[in-house]
Each structure stands twice: as structure tokens, then as C-alpha cells.
Amino acid sequence: MLLQHLAGGAMSNPLAGTIAERVWLLPILPLIGFVLNVCCR
Amino acid sequence: MTAAYHPGPADPSAVAHDATHGGAARGGHADDHAPAARHRHAWLVSIIGPASVALAFVVAVALFLAMPGEMTTPFIKTFFSWMPVGPELQINWAFQLDQLSMIMVLVITGVGTLIHIFSIGYMQDDPGYARFFAYMNLFVAFMLVLVLGSSFPVMFVGWEGVGLCSYLLIGFWFNDAANAYAGLKAFIVNRIGDFGFLTAMFLIWASVGSLDFTTVAAHAGSLTVGGPVVTTICLLLFLGCAGKSAQIPLYVWLPDAMAGPTPVSALIHAATMVTAGVYLVARTSFLFAVAPAASLTVAVIGAVTALFAATIGLKQWDIKKVLAYSTVSQLGYMFIGVGVGAYVAGMFHLMTHAFFKALLFLGAGSVIYAMHRAYHATHSHEDAQDMRNMGGLRRAMPITFVMMWIATLAIAGIPFFAGFFSKDEILGAVFQRAQGSTLAQASWLGIPGSVVLYVVYVFGLVGALLTAIYMTRLMLYTFHGPNRTGAREFEHLREAPWTMTGPIVLLGVLSAIGGAINLPAFLHLPTGATGILDRWLDPVVGAPALAIARGTTSELPSGTELLLVGLAVVIAVTGVLIAVARCRPAALVPKRDARPSEGVERVLENKYYVDELYDRVVISPVVGGSRFVLWKGIDAGLIDGLFVNGSAWLARGFGAVGSWLQSGQVGAYAWAFVIGVIAVLGAITFR
């Protein structure tokens, strides 16, 4: 089945309510590293 | 030391040595030469830099464990409305988590963590230590935005962000003009590709009315198969891919990008950023599946690039340049895979390539690090990256030696290393599609698709032969035979610290066993052990792949498949044997004593003079046109001369006439009055 054909909302997804809600952590963590390293310069 | 770019890692003695001898600039700032000591916050940066990426990897693993393999709908997390442009265009800042983005997230954060750890040792005494890790962290953040974006615009933010970081890191030692120009070259060439990406976005919105991946995918079925709109969209998207992933004709920036520190080459210009184009084709597979001509174009460009870059790799002496052309070539294989609709095979090779190419670059970095320290210990100015100055390093660097051989066997396609499975899957898919698929029935520039695909298959095979040759050559000249560094220098050659060898060993393990993630059916292993990646990615790319294969899930007949595998193995082994027979490390002389190459060798060493050709055909005319037409003609002549200065001259002229008339002599005014009256009366009389 073509996954993208089904524009499923977050609430109907098996990942809803799991750690996937914190997916924003992925880019934020290295971004924090960037900011701190700039401060260390 | 090459004139083209900075050769290697930083160490205190190197800085002092460069400064003393007026050598190439090392640091990014004018005062970087002064302190030969470590960065004052080096210990803190050594924690923050790698830990921030390692924590992201921990989150990625947690997400992976939470994600059910059979999940059929993407998880989309919307954070805020980014561009609410009326009812017709609503773009949200949202991330899309599915099996495809999950694979990329694991590769980026996993391999990224290892390369960050390696960088602790490699960059330890560079004055720009904190700046380096800041850029590397920023790159990882943007790369994650690129793969997680749920729409074209969000992906484009990451796409541009990684381009910016690539520019900053290529020119990291920007006091050397060659490094700064290399960064600029990468930036400008990528803008050409970005033009394609942006125009494709505009066309998608005009024809579908949305830029979200899920919505566009839902409407892809309504597009005319092979129609001009979807074909144009896919070709424009591929133009963006060609820029980012260094494919013909936009590959020229990647070899020059080796001007950056070696960990940058490993992370950005081998394992992650340059594979963004492959990811984009897989992400938009629902479009490419209904554009057979565009898909064939992807496969053809990939095949030509794979072969072309491999031939150049045969005659490079700079160890990083060999690996750079190898990367261009292997990216070509990935595009062959996604071009023929074997999206899983393309992504599989993306993964295995991330392992063994990151290892090869880190291994090369370890070698350069050792060479550099040895030369500085003896105050020598020899080139630390030229393989003619190496040789016999296996005795001094046994761990790097063994690990790089594992990576070499993997990239060469020797059973049963990781690259063997992924490359074999791509070539098998090409052969299968040539026998029956929508691509075989389509035509490309008037040539039947099946013929095109068989040619692509042959190019892939020849490319595999050349890959085995140039990689074996690299290993023979670097690690085997007598040492050519120098007797005194050899005493200073030694293995790198554990922060550098540790990541190399881990990547060595992944290069050896990474193929297990998608073992082929012909191995007759228990169900569940084979095709793991096939099943994992099926919800995302299964339908487009099936559409291209015309609904047939059957694989090649067992006998045919074994024959193709056997042929690929024979070719890989033959390539290794040819290199062993032809390359004689004992007969090689150091770079300073080497004769200039001649004939075909010279052409290959000079990369077919493509840079020179681009300079004559594109750059010089554009610069000349800009200088003489746009600058001196339009800017200086028309705008400055006619409009700005001309209007000033005109105003001054009117002012001069006015001031002449306003003389203050009443007699002159009376004469003017009389002449005026006569003129008016004359006009009334004689009209």
C-alpha cells in the first residue's frame, strides 16, 4: 500500500502519544550544541 | 603540502611550523596562528559537540523501537502554521516520521556521532576547534530537518541549510584562498540545482495545489502517466539532486570540497548530505513512478556518472581525491537504483555506502594525521596526502590498515561484505527492469527503454570493475610495499589515538556485516532473515516500485539471478587481481621524483580537463559578459552614465541656462519681453 496516499493525521497513527511526539528533539539537540559551541568561541 | 588545499589535521607543532616557515594558513582567523596551544574551552567543546549528536541518536533509536514496521500511515507532527498565504496555500512547519525518514535519521545521527568522536582527536589542537564543532552540529540539525520535513518547503529549508554548512566547512581554513574558492564553487554549483528544486516546487503547487508530500502523493494518480507536467517536475527535481549529489554535469564541486577537514569529507561529502538527492527521489517516488522518461534519465545520468568518475579515480594520487571520485561514482549507483524504481536497493546502497565510505575517509584522515605529524617532526614540506609519499604504512598503522581493507572489499563488491549485497541488488534490479517494466516499454531520446536499461547494466558492471581496481590501487600504494615517506619520518609514523581508531573499528564492523539488513532470497536463509529492509520500506516505496515493475512482484529466475551474482563477483575479483598485477608499490617513487604523466594517464590525472572546459565555455563567458556588458555597459555606462550622471548633467545644463537668463540687467529683461511679444503676435498673425 502506498503510504503517502493516506494522509493520516497524527492522532490516528500508532505513533500518536508515544515518544514520536518529541520528534522535534532530533534537530533541536544538535542545534543546542551549535549555540553552546558558538558561545564557547 | 598541496597548493590546492590544506592537507591535514592540526597539531601544535604544525601550527608553529607553518607560522615559522610561512606555510599555508591554518586557522580561520588572523590570530589563529599565534597560539599553538589548544582552544581554551576544548574540553567543554569535546563534550558538547559529540554529545548533542549522540543524544539525538539515542532519541532516534527510541523512535525506531517505538515505530511498528507495518505502520502504513506517516506520523505527522505539526508545530505551527508557517506560511498561511490565503486559502490556497497553507504551509505548516511539520515533521513527517515514517520508515524512510527513520532510516535516514539513524544513519545521520549514528554515523554522525562516530565522526564527531573522531573529530575530537583529529581537530584537537586546531584554534578553530569550537567553530568546527558549531558548524558540524548545525549541519546535523539542518540535515535532520531535511529528512524530517513533511513538505517540500520544510525540506528545502534543510536542503539550503546543509548547503550553507557545507560551504562554511569546505572553507573552514579560509585564510588559504584555494579553500575559500572551493567553498564558493560548491555554493554556486548547488544554486544551479536549487533553481531546479524551486521551479519544481512552483510547478507542483500549480498542478496539484499543495506542497505536502502526503497530499501530492494522493493526487499523483490524477497526473497523466508520462505527461509533460509530471515529467518536467521530475526532471527539475533531479536537477536539484544532481547539484546536491554531485552528478553529471554538476559533480565538479565535490572533488574540490576535499579542501575541508577530513571529518567533513566523511560526514557531509560522503555519508549524508550528498545522499540527499537520492533521498529526494525516493521520497517523491510517487511522482517518478508516473514519469518513466524522467526515471530513465535518472538511471542514465547515474550510470554515466558512475563510470566516468570511476575512470578518473584510477589515476588520482591524492588519497582524498580518489575517495571523492569514488563517492561521485557510488552516488551514481544509488541513482541507478532509484532511477529504475528499485528504491529499496538505492536506499540500501545509501546505507552501506555511509558505513564504508565514512570508514574510508576516516581511515584516510588517520593516515594523513600520521603523515602530517611525521613531516612536521622532521620539518619536511612534502605532501602528506599524496600516495606516492606513503607506502608500507601497514606496519605503523595496523588497525587502520585492517579496517580500510574491510571497507575496500565492501565497496569493491566482494562477498559477503556490505557493499556486495547492495550493489548486487541494484544491478539485478536493472536487469530485471530491462526484461519487463514500464521503463522498458518507454523510450528515452528515441531509444527503446529496454536497450537503455541494458546499457545502464553494462555501465554498472564496468564501473564495478573499475571500483575494485582504483580501491585496491589505493590500498597497495598506501599500506603495502616499501615506505616512501622517508627513513626519519617513518620513525614518527604511528597509529592515531583511540578517539580516532574507535569510530574506525565500529564502522569496520558495520561495513563487514551491514549487508545483513537486506540479505537476498537466493541465500535460502530462514524467512525473516532476508529482505528486512524490503519489508521495512514497503509501506513507503512499495507501490511506486510495483507500478514501475508493472505489478509483477516475481524476482528474476533463480538461475538467472545466480548467474548475475556470479558475474558481479567475477568482475569484482578480476578488478582486485588486475590492480595487484598492474600496481607495483615497490616501483613507485616519491612525488618529488615522479615524472609527469603522459597520454591517457595525463588526461585522467587532469580529470578530462572538465574544469578547464567549464572555465572556457561557461565561467569565462559569464564573467566576461558580466564585466563588459552588465558592469561596464549597463551598470557603469547606462545606469551610472546616462541615467544618474546624465540626469545630473541635464539639471546642471538647465541651471546654467537659467542662471544666464537671470542676469539682473533690466535692459536684457526688456529685450526678452519685446522679443516674446513679437513672437506671440507673429504666431497669431501667420497661423
Side-chain angles (χ1 to χ4, degrees), chain B residues 405-437:
Chain B
W405 257 118
I406 290 174
T408 298
L409 296 176
I411 194 174
I414 300 294
F416 291 89
F417 294 92
F420 162 72
F421 295 109
S422 55
K423 197 180 289 183
D424 179 66
E425 194 171 322
I426 288 172
L427 294 177
V430 178
F431 197 84
Q432 187 193 28
R433 300 292 196 271
Q435 294 195 319
S437 65

Side-chain angles (χ1 to χ4, degrees), chain A residues 1 3-5 13 21 37 41, chain B residues 29 73 77 137 214 217 539:
Chain A
M1 178 163 40
L3 180 147
Q4 283 98 341
H5 279 171
N13 192 283
E21 301 284 352
N37 280 322
R41 285 183 65 192
Chain B
H29 302 286
T73 56
K77 182 73 179 173
N137 284 169
T214 49

Side-chain angles (χ1 to χ4, degrees), chain B residues 117-166:
Chain B
I117 294 170
F118 179 91
S119 303
I120 295 173
Y122 192 83
M123 300 295 291
Q124 60 182 325
D125 294 314
D126 195 293
Y129 191 66
R131 183 166 58 93
F132 174 81
F133 274 103
Y135 291 163
M136 290 284 274
N137 284 169
L138 187 65
F139 166 79
V140 174
F142 275 126
M143 192 67 208
L144 289 168
V145 169
L146 190 159
V147 299
L148 286 170
S150 71
S151 63
F152 286 97
V154 178
M155 179 194 245
F156 193 68
V157 170
W159 189 274
E160 290 303 294
V162 294
L164 169 70
C165 295
S166 169

Side-chain angles (χ1 to χ4, degrees), chain B residues 11-376:
Chain B
D11 61 82
S13 62
V15 176
H17 188 72
D18 275 353
T20 307
H21 292 82
R26 175 171 300 278
H29 302 286
D31 61 347
D32 281 350
H33 296 285
R38 297 187 70 184
H39 189 280
R40 63 186 186 281
H41 298 307
W43 64 274
L44 189 58
V45 174
S46 301
I47 295 170
I48 294 169
S52 61
V53 183
L55 284 173
F57 178 63
V58 171
V59 174
V61 171
L63 287 168
F64 173 71
L65 294 175
M67 181 180 282
E70 65 279 5
M71 187 178 80
T72 53
T73 56
F75 175 78
I76 296 176
K77 182 73 179 173
T78 303
F79 300 104
F80 55 88
S81 177
W82 181 27
M83 281 192 264
V85 192
E88 291 182 351
L89 182 61
Q90 294 284 334
I91 297 171
N92 295 323
W93 189 269
F95 287 162
Q96 175 170 331
L97 200 58
D98 59 13
Q99 290 87 341
L100 184 62
S101 54
M102 194 70 249
I103 290 286
M104 291 298 289
V105 166
L106 286 170
V107 170
I108 294 161
T109 54
V111 176
T113 300
L114 294 177
I115 294 173
H116 273 70
I117 294 170
F118 179 91
S119 303
I120 295 173
Y122 192 83
M123 300 295 291
Q124 60 182 325
D125 294 314
D126 195 293
Y129 191 66
R131 183 166 58 93
F132 174 81
F133 274 103
Y135 291 163
M136 290 284 274
N137 284 169
L138 187 65
F139 166 79
V140 174
F142 275 126
M143 192 67 208
L144 289 168
V145 169
L146 190 159
V147 299
L148 286 170
S150 71
S151 63
F152 286 97
V154 178
M155 179 194 245
F156 193 68
V157 170
W159 189 274
E160 290 303 294
V162 294
L164 169 70
C165 295
S166 169
Y167 162 76
L168 292 170
L169 284 162
I170 292 169
F172 182 73
W173 290 307
F174 59 77
N175 280 4
D176 188 339
N179 298 345
Y181 282 126
L184 203 58
K185 183 176 180 180
F187 201 76
I188 291 171
V189 173
N190 271 282
R191 296 293 76 70
I192 299 169
D194 293 346
F195 163 78
F197 194 130
L198 277 170
T199 316
M201 267 201 283
F202 301 150
L203 265 179
I204 290 168
W205 183 73
S207 54
V208 177
S210 175
L211 290 170
D212 292 335
F213 291 130
T214 49
T215 313
V216 176
H219 287 81
S222 63
L223 296 168
T224 309
V225 177
V229 174
V230 72
T231 302
T232 307
I233 288 172
C234 289
L235 288 175
L236 287 168
L237 283 175
F238 182 60
L239 179 61
C241 299
K244 190 64 80 188
S245 299
Q247 296 295 285
I248 288 174
L250 302 179
Y251 72 96
V252 289
W253 67 270
L254 186 57
D256 287 12
M258 299 301 115
T262 304
V264 175
S265 308
L267 178 63
I268 301 180
H269 305 123
T272 55
M273 186 193 79
V274 290
T275 62
V278 181
Y279 171 76
L280 177 58
V281 177
R283 172 56 73 200
T284 55
S285 54
F286 45 82
L287 291 173
F288 280 88
V290 290
S295 288
L296 280 172
T297 304
V298 174
V300 169
I301 296 288
V304 174
T305 306
L307 186 57
F308 179 79
T311 60
I312 298 176
L314 288 172
K315 282 297 167 188
Q316 297 302 304
W317 290 112
D318 185 312
I319 190 170
K320 282 181 73 180
K321 282 287 171 80
V322 178
L323 296 178
Y325 281 103
S326 166
T327 301
V328 175
S329 179
Q330 295 303 309
L331 287 165
Y333 279 101
M334 294 174 215
F335 278 111
I336 292 175
V338 294
V340 301
Y343 302 108
V344 177
M347 290 300 297
F348 185 24
H349 199 56
L350 185 156
M351 280 186 73
T352 59
H353 179 261
F355 300 149
F356 57 68
K357 190 50 69 66
L359 164 52
L360 285 168
F361 267 114
L362 295 190
S366 190
V367 166
I368 295 164
Y369 181 87
M371 291 284 293
H372 212 65
R373 293 185 84 95
Y375 279 141
H376 278 286

Side-chain angles (χ1 to χ4, degrees), chain B residues 539-631:
Chain B
V540 187
V541 297
L546 209 59
I548 286 179
R550 299 187 64 80
T552 56
T553 53
S554 58
E555 296 178 351
L556 286 166
S558 178
T560 309
E561 189 174 7
L562 285 175
L563 195 67
L564 295 181
V565 172
L567 184 61
V569 172
V570 167
I571 280 181
V573 173
T574 305
V576 173
L577 294 177
I578 288 174
V580 170
R582 296 273 303 172
C583 302
R584 300 187 178 280
L588 204 62
V589 294
K591 182 185 178 184
R592 62 176 178 277
D593 302 325
R595 289 186 297 109
S597 54
E598 295 173 348
V600 178
E601 287 190 5
R602 187 173 180 177
V603 173
L604 294 178
E605 203 173 325
N606 287 287
K607 302 155 279 185
Y608 293 104
Y609 297 99
V610 171
D611 277 324
E612 289 78 0
L613 181 72
Y614 280 11
D615 188 51
R616 292 273 176 85
V617 177
V618 181
I619 299 169
S620 292
V622 169
V623 171
S626 302
R627 179 170 295 155
F628 295 108
V629 178
L630 296 177
W631 173 29

